[in-house]
Amino acid sequence: MQDMMDKATYERLESDVARVKDDIGALAEQITDALNAIAGNARKQARRGYKQARDNMDSVVDDVSERGAAMMSAAQDAAVSLEETLEEVIAERPLATVGLALGLGFLIGATWRR
């Protein structure tokens, strides 16, 4: 009788251990699935962040390009305006312009010698 109880207890323990192993296997599968889902979400968020950063960079580059073009246009307009003003002054006062040019040349030459 004792042998039968020991055998029944052993079989019950063996059955319990098998169920625990099955439960551990199922839990390991669930953990793997959860980790894969988390990794997938992280990848999606990283891609979204990269795309957003790239879009922001493109926007900044476009903005800088537009501002640079506007500044270039303003500088060209200023240069044309200065050129026109100089032409007017030279046409109105040619002797004064020649005298000014000679004076500037003298000052630059004197400074250059030192």
Side-chain angles (χ1 to χ4, degrees):
M1 181 98 163
Q2 183 73 16
D3 255 351
M4 284 185 103
M5 287 180 78
D6 287 341
K7 190 175 184 181
T9 303
Y10 178 76
E11 288 174 356
R12 220 178 22 232
L13 283 174
E14 202 172 55
S15 171
D16 288 346
V17 167
R19 274 188 264 139
V20 168
K21 283 182 181 180
D22 290 342
D23 289 345
I24 289 173
L27 183 60
E29 253 182 67
Q30 289 175 350
I31 290 172
T32 301
D33 291 344
L35 288 175
N36 286 337
I38 289 170
N41 287 337
R43 254 184 263 125
K44 286 178 187 176
Q45 287 178 349
R47 284 185 190 135
R48 260 187 257 132
Y50 172 75
K51 185 179 182 298
Q52 186 178 16
R54 190 179 65 209
D55 291 345
N56 288 344
M57 184 58 103
D58 289 344
S59 173
V60 167
V61 167
D62 290 344
D63 187 42
V64 167
S65 179
E66 288 174 12
R67 287 183 184 186
M71 289 172 51
M72 237 356 222
S73 177
Q76 287 174 341
D77 291 345
V80 167
S81 176
L82 179 64
E83 180 183 2
E84 289 172 354
T85 303
L86 283 174
E87 285 177 0
E88 287 175 13
V89 168
I90 291 170
E92 288 176 7
R93 299 187 181 147
L95 292 178
T97 305
V98 170
L100 179 63
L102 287 173
L104 284 173
F106 177 76
L107 286 174
I108 291 172
T111 306
W112 192 265
R113 276 191 191 160
R114 293 181 188 183

